[in-house]
């Protein structure tokens, strides 16, 4: 049975206090906490098996290589990738998008071509395309966001033309929580021969995801938002696309043979992994995936829907609050952004920190979306598997108190 109280015992950081209060960690959309299994995997690797991968024939190197490649298999199984060789390890989701923008984009996007994004993208899924468009004389187009924070597909036929070379969008918004209809978008795009990149940085940690069902051409995400260490990201892509792509970075490990004036490339996935990779953190990412799968992605999703429902119901009662994104908890993830009239979100963040409650305040790397919402910043609480109903209550109580403090100050 899913029991967040039992789950919490696996996360040592959740036992600590902040400013004399038990930590209430509600900044999971920024990064998640790590269970003992992940921490133990790091220590075990460095205390027993530390060596470079893919090179030595000695025992330690074989153990390191087996651990590293086993993590790749775990990622492939988690997302339903047909082969582990379609999973490329990067530093984070951002680097995975940049890899595609360089290694695929520079070959397939030319002057006058267009890339279709949405107005709710994280800067990670915007700036790499701006750089590509500037380098190639290409243009960017954007699916708009409705007042409820959903994608507006009405202008699809005007926005998707023979110029469109790629559609790149987030599975789940880190600000609005919106879960986008990626399957439908992939179908529509493929009907016109256009590949689709899915930014799964928020989606993969919180939803069951299957790349064959979604039928996306690229999927990117980060270990650190799904109980794993920082410094590891994933690019999944269809095998034929990866085979046809040139390398991103050059160096050791990504070559088959090297002459003074040219080189040939290693097989997938190593063609895209130049230099010594982040071995320890990747192995520990494998332990994070084991943990998530032991609990079950559907169970995690169900728990988060309940927390989001409870948060929505209680937050909506606070006078002067604006909640962003879809109100139906089934249509959204557990990142809940809001503003309270008369209180700057940074002040909210500070006051909540005094209560041991960690939320994020700011533009969440979505400045164009902030402009669309007509704000400079929002406060954001984001839940994960180890959060509880009591923590939702603590958040709401602290916000009510913060509002009272500010109305007293305002009336002085
Ligand atoms: N895409 C989305 C939708 C994200 O939310 C983030 C990070 C990224 C990409 C980039 O991930 P990275 O691991 O490469 O940095 N989002 C956030 C956030 O909402 N608060 O801090 C980081």
């Amino acid at each position: 049975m899913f029991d967040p109280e039992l789950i919490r015992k696996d996360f040592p950081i959740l036992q600590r206090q902040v400013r004399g209060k038990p930590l209430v960690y509600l900044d999971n959309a920024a990064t998640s906490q790590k269970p003992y299994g992940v921490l133990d995997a790091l220590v075990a690797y460095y205390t027993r098996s530390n060596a470079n991968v893919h090179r030595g024939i000695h025992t330690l190197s074989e153990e390191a290589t087996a651990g590293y490649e086993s993590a790749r298999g775990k990622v492939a199984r988690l997302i339903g990738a047909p082969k582990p060789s379609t999973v490329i390890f990067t530093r984070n989701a951002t680097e995975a998008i940049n890899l595609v923008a360089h290694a695929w984009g520079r070959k397939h996007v030319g002057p006058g071509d267009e890339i279709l994004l949405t107005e709710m993208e994280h800067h990670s899924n915007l700036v790499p395309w701006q750089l590509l468009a500037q380098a190639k004389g290409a243009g960017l187009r954007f699916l708009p966001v409705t007042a409820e924070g959903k994608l507006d597909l009405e202008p699809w036929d005007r926005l998707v033309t023979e110029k469109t070379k790629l559609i790149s969008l987030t599975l789940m918004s880190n600000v609005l929580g919106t879960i986008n209809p990626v399957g439908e978008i992939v179908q529509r795009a493929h009907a016109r021969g256009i590949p689709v990149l899915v930014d799964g940085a928020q989606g993969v940690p919180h939803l069951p995801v299957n790349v064959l069902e979604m039928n996306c051409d690229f999927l990117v995400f980060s270990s650190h938002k799904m109980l794993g260490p920082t410094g590891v990201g994933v690019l999944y892509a269809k095998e034929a696309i990866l085979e046809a792509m040139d390398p991103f970075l050059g160096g050791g490990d990504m070559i088959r043979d090297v002459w003074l004036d040219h080189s040939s490339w290693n097989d997938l996935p190593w063609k895209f992994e130049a230099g010594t990779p982040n071995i320890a953190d990747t192995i520990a990412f494998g332990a994070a995936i084991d943990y998530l799968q032991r609990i079950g992605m559907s169970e995690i999703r169900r728990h988060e829907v309940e927390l989001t429902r409870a948060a929505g119901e209680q937050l909506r009662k606070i006078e002067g609050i604006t909640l962003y994104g879809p109100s139906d908890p089934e249509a959204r993830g557990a990142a809940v952004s809001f503003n309270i009239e008369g209180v700057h979100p940074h002040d909210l963040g500070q006051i909540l920190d005094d209560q041991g409650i960690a939320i994020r305040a700011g533009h969440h790397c979505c400045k164009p979306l902030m402009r669309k919402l007509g704000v400079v910043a929002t406060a954001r609480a984001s839940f994960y598997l180890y959060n509880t109903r009591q923590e939702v209550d603590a958040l709401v109580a602290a916000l009510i108190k913060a509002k009272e403090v500010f109305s007293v100050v305002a009336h002085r």
Side-chain angles (χ1 to χ4, degrees), residues 302-351:
R302 202 169 324 140
H303 176 64
E304 291 183 20
V305 167
E306 289 321 312
L307 291 181
T308 309
R309 190 189 309 280
E313 281 168 5
Q314 294 186 56
L315 290 171
R316 218 162 283 124
K317 290 185 192 148
I318 299 177
E319 211 192 305
I321 197 166
T322 305
L323 287 164
Y324 302 99
S327 48
D328 176 4
E330 303 280 356
R332 56 169 302 143
V336 181
S337 291
F338 54 90
N339 268 311
I340 294 182
E341 205 181 351
V343 193
H344 194 283
H346 286 130
D347 292 331
L348 280 180
Q350 203 104 55
I351 296 172

Side-chain angles (χ1 to χ4, degrees), residues 77-89:
R77 282 192 293 283
L78 177 76
I79 60 170
K83 288 183 182 176
S85 60
T86 56
V87 169
I88 315 291
F89 286 122

Side-chain angles (χ1 to χ4, degrees), residues 288-307:
I289 294 173
D290 288 342
Y291 189 93
L292 288 170
Q293 293 209 297
R294 242 187 347 264
I295 307 282
M297 294 310 297
S298 302
E299 300 289 309
I300 293 169
R301 168 67 183 150
R302 202 169 324 140
H303 176 64
E304 291 183 20
V305 167
E306 289 321 312
L307 291 181

Side-chain angles (χ1 to χ4, degrees), residues 29-30 92-94 122 124 174 199 201-202 222 224-225 360 380:
N92 46 38
T94 303
H122 188 279
S124 292
N174 63 320
D199 174 356
Q202 295 295 338
S222 284
H224 72 92
K225 292 189 200 285
R360 182 163 179 200
R380 181 187 69 188

Side-chain angles (χ1 to χ4, degrees), residues 7 11 28 31-35 38-39 205 222-229 284-285 287-289 291-292 295 300 384-386:
I7 290 171
F11 291 78
N28 294 285
T31 201
S32 65
Q33 300 302 347
K34 324 300 173 196
V38 168
L39 307 178
S222 284
S223 150
H224 72 92
K225 292 189 200 285
M226 47 195 294
L227 312 185
F285 179 32
I289 294 173
Y291 189 93
L292 288 170
I295 307 282
I300 293 169
Y384 210 0
L385 70 169
Y386 39 65

Side-chain angles (χ1 to χ4, degrees), residues 100 104 115-118 121 125 129 143 151 156 160 164-171 180-199 211 214-220 235-238 241:
V100 177
W104 185 90
I115 298 160
L116 180 64
L117 309 170
T118 84
E121 298 311 313
N125 194 27
W129 306 119
L143 281 168
L151 277 189
W156 176 271
V160 180
T164 315
K165 290 294 174 289
L166 178 75
I167 298 175
S168 188
L169 81 163
T170 189
L171 173 54
N180 288 320
V182 165
E184 181 192 342
I185 286 171
V186 168
Q187 262 185 8
R188 285 189 185 206
H190 285 181
R192 306 198 54 156
I194 304 164
V196 178
L197 184 151
V198 175
D199 174 356
V211 288
M214 206 161 28
N215 201 16
C216 57
D217 300 276
F218 304 96
L219 174 72
V220 306
L235 166 66
Y236 154 82
K238 286 184 174 165
I241 296 178

